[in-house]
Every structure is written in structure tokens, then in C-alpha cells.
Amino acid sequence: MSIINLQDITVSYDGKIDILKKLNIDIEKGKLVSLLGPSGCGKTTTLRVIAGFIQPNSGQFIFDGDDYTNIPVHKRNFGLVFQSYALFPHLTVFDNVAFGLKMKKMDKKEIKKSVEKILEIVDLHGFGSRYPKELSGGQRQRVALARALVVKPKLLLLDEPLSNLDAKLRLKMRAEIRKLQQKLGITTVFVTHDQEECFSISDKVAVMNSGIIEQYDTPENIYTNPASEFVARFVGFENFIELSKKDSNIYETKTGAKFETEIDTKSKSKEKVVGTIRPDHIQIMDDNSNLGNNMIQGTIDIRTYLGKEYQYSVNTEVGTILTNASNDKKYHEGDKVTLYLPSNKLILV
């Protein structure tokens, strides 16, 4: 059952530039959903609409069956964790975490009990008397999480919470966030521009572009079956070939090369499409004059060493194609080769 419903949300600045364009999304209760996309795509604006910091120009925000569109921030009871942590430097860890409970005028004994419990949950037992300056980046982030969770929010909102951490700590913290979210069963909206980060912890991902959602799906489906060229490029597809429909599953380039696909997509009904495939999925072979479907000849322009494999930039009649191959056989610049694009890996967008 959906707990969050954003219906035709439009946000514009000065009434001229639309940041969000009739955006719609439903989020199920207890799930962790990430808003993913490049800078300026509208993901943080969407989060701020949910939080109540931004009033949409039009549309509705329904939360748990109630219209929250015009409810002020302080009455929404949502937990917020920001990129900068926003901890009070002059307060101890205990007082930082207790701040929201004190604002609610909760009994002191209850505050102590609640704070100690949440500090234990985020693995900060015994840190209550320390100040933020005495903590590492990961510990500060856990304090920020504890402060957001101690008030028992109906919803947890995370705005790029790991971007200030080093790579190793980010890996650890994203696992901790997922573990904590599943343990508490709290509905969570997570904003990030990091594909690997959001794919590793999310139940569903909304890939955003210029104020709209290009695809809203599971991480697995987005990674293996992108719905648009934008999504494909964003999740690592690097080869794009313009195709025209020839037969039921056969598509043709302007030069006459024929390609077949086994993957069922909405684009298969269109006359003109773009075929895309990851470099890892292309097979490179010695030059072969007996070309069949999904095969194309080319000349190697550039060879790049990637450690476990080489990446080859191959000049073909349909443009430059990137392909990765193991170190078992090494090709050289200028070599004539044949590329095979398997029909079960070629996607139409």
C-alpha cells in the first residue's frame, strides 16, 4: 500500500523555469526509495516538497491518505538528515539527539531512555557526553541519524547524507543505513547522484531528468532494462546505434547491418529506435567476412588496459563501439575485428 503519493507536482522559480514538471510517484510503506539523477534534475526539490520546505505551484502531496500539501514543516513529524549533518557544535551528542524530544516537552526520564536506546541502535553507546568535534565523520552521521529517528518519525528523508565521507566509510555507512531502515521498518526517501550507492540499498529507484521521472523501478530492472536513452547512459550503457524496424524482431542500420533482439521493450513497437548494449556484453573476434545478424566489422582505434581486461574502441560503419575483452588475447591498434552483439543483451530504447 502506498504511503506517499505525489500527484502532478509542479515547482517553478519565478513562474518561468519548471524545476518539477507534473511529477508523479507512489512510494509503498516501509520501503527505501532513492531519487537518483545528475545535479539540477529536481531530486532535492522533490525531497524538499515532501519535507514541506517548498510549496508546489500545483499538484498534491498525499501522505498516508491525508493531504499534506499545505501542512507546515513542524507539523509533519518527518525525520530529516542533511549532507552537512547540521549538528549543534556547542551541544553534546546526547543533547543533539535529545533536541527534538525537548522541543516536544517530553518528560526528562523518557528523554533519557529514548536517547540511550537510539544511541545503542546506531552503535554510539557511551558517546553521549562527547561533542561533535570529538567524533569522526561516520560517527557524526550516525548522530544525525539518531536525532532524526529518536522522535519516531512517520517518514525518514535523507539528502545526500554520505557525500562528505571518504569512499571506504561511505560503503560502511550505506550498509548501516539499510540495516537500520529494515530493522525499524521506516519508510525512507534517499536522495543521491551515486548510482552504485542507491542501487545497493534501495527497494526502488526513481531516475530523474529535468524535472521528470524517466524510470521508476527496481535497481535490477533499471540496470538491465533501461526505459530510455537517458537512463541507459546514466547507468553505464556506452554504445548506441540508430535502428529502423525491418521485421518482427529484426532492425536495420542505415548501412544495412541487421540486428535482432530477444528483449521485450515498449520500444519494439516503434519504427525507429536506438539499440544499446554494455561494453562487457559485446564479443570481439578475429575479422570474419561471413557476417550474420548482430555482427559488424571494424578497426581498433584505441586499446585501454583496465587491469583484469582491455577495453577496445572500435571504429565501425555505425560509429565508435566500445567493447571489453579478457587478457587472454590481446588485439592491437589497427587490427581488423568482428564484433558480435548478442540478441539477448541488445536493448531498444
Side-chain angles (χ1 to χ4, degrees), residues 1-7 25-31 62-66 187 204 216:
M1 187 181 87
S2 295
I3 191 171
I4 293 174
N5 308 96
L6 294 181
Q7 302 173 358
I25 188 171
D26 296 332
I27 297 175
E28 292 182 34
K29 189 172 184 177
K31 301 296 185 182
I62 306 299
F63 181 78
D64 205 11
D66 296 322
T187 308
K204 294 186 78 173
Y216 182 45

Side-chain angles (χ1 to χ4, degrees), residues 28-34 178 181-182 186 188 198-205 216-220:
E28 292 182 34
K29 189 172 184 177
K31 301 296 185 182
L32 192 158
V33 169
S34 288
R178 180 56 166 166
Q181 185 268 333
Q182 289 184 317
I186 185 170
T188 302
C198 94
F199 278 15
S200 68
I201 66 173
S202 305
D203 293 300
K204 294 186 78 173
V205 176
Y216 182 45
D217 211 332
T218 63
E220 294 85 356

Side-chain angles (χ1 to χ4, degrees), residues 226 229 232-233 237-244 251-253 259-261 265 267 272-278 282 318 321 341 345-349:
E229 185 173 340
R233 291 184 184 277
F237 285 79
E238 297 187 71
N239 300 302
F240 295 86
I241 304 170
E242 293 183 3
L243 299 169
S244 298
Y251 296 81
E252 192 174 63
T253 67
F259 292 90
E260 181 180 359
T261 179
T265 68
S267 298
K272 292 189 178 297
V273 294
V274 173
T276 183
I277 187 169
R278 292 181 182 276
I282 297 175
V318 296
I321 299 290
L341 288 61
K345 299 295 184 182
L346 183 65
I347 297 168
L348 305 181
V349 293

Side-chain angles (χ1 to χ4, degrees), residues 32 119-124 136-143 145 149 156 158 162 165 168-184 186 190 200-201:
L32 192 158
L119 286 178
E120 190 169 340
I121 288 174
V122 299
D123 199 24
L124 285 175
S136 67
Q139 289 168 339
R140 291 178 196 172
Q141 189 57 271
R142 291 205 293 273
V143 173
L145 274 169
L149 292 169
L156 180 62
L158 306 174
L162 308 180
L165 305 179
K168 187 175 181 179
L169 194 52
R170 287 182 74 150
L171 288 173
K172 182 180 178 182
M173 279 305 301
R174 76 188 189 196
E176 289 189 13
I177 286 174
R178 180 56 166 166
K179 183 179 177 181
L180 189 61
Q181 185 268 333
Q182 289 184 317
K183 182 177 181 179
L184 299 176
I186 185 170
F190 185 96
S200 68
I201 66 173

Side-chain angles (χ1 to χ4, degrees), residues 20-140:
L20 299 180
K21 305 168 184 176
K22 291 194 173 182
L23 181 139
N24 290 274
I25 188 171
D26 296 332
I27 297 175
E28 292 182 34
K29 189 172 184 177
K31 301 296 185 182
L32 192 158
V33 169
S34 288
L35 305 179
L36 174 69
S39 297
C41 70
K43 56 187 186 293
T44 295
T45 300
T46 302
L47 191 83
R48 291 173 70 83
V49 167
I50 295 172
F53 295 126
I54 293 178
Q55 187 74 21
N57 297 76
S58 61
Q60 278 187 308
F61 167 36
I62 306 299
F63 181 78
D64 205 11
D66 296 322
D67 189 346
Y68 268 56
T69 313
N70 298 311
I71 291 180
V73 177
H74 66 280
K75 291 186 178 181
R76 297 196 180 197
N77 191 29
F78 295 164
L80 299 164
V81 179
F82 301 100
Q83 179 178 342
S84 61
Y85 316 142
L87 300 178
F88 299 112
H90 62 289
L91 297 181
T92 63
V93 167
F94 182 96
D95 289 332
N96 263 285
V97 176
F99 184 79
L101 299 178
K102 289 178 179 178
M103 293 293 288
K104 291 185 174 186
K105 302 189 186 317
M106 185 182 284
D107 179 75
K108 287 185 178 180
K109 288 184 179 179
E110 284 299 312
I111 290 176
K112 186 174 186 296
K113 182 180 176 181
S114 296
V115 172
E116 288 178 349
K117 182 179 179 180
I118 199 67
L119 286 178
E120 190 169 340
I121 288 174
V122 299
D123 199 24
L124 285 175
H125 178 70
F127 284 74
S129 61
R130 297 193 188 185
Y131 288 88
K133 66 181 180 180
E134 299 172 316
L135 304 176
S136 67
Q139 289 168 339
R140 291 178 196 172

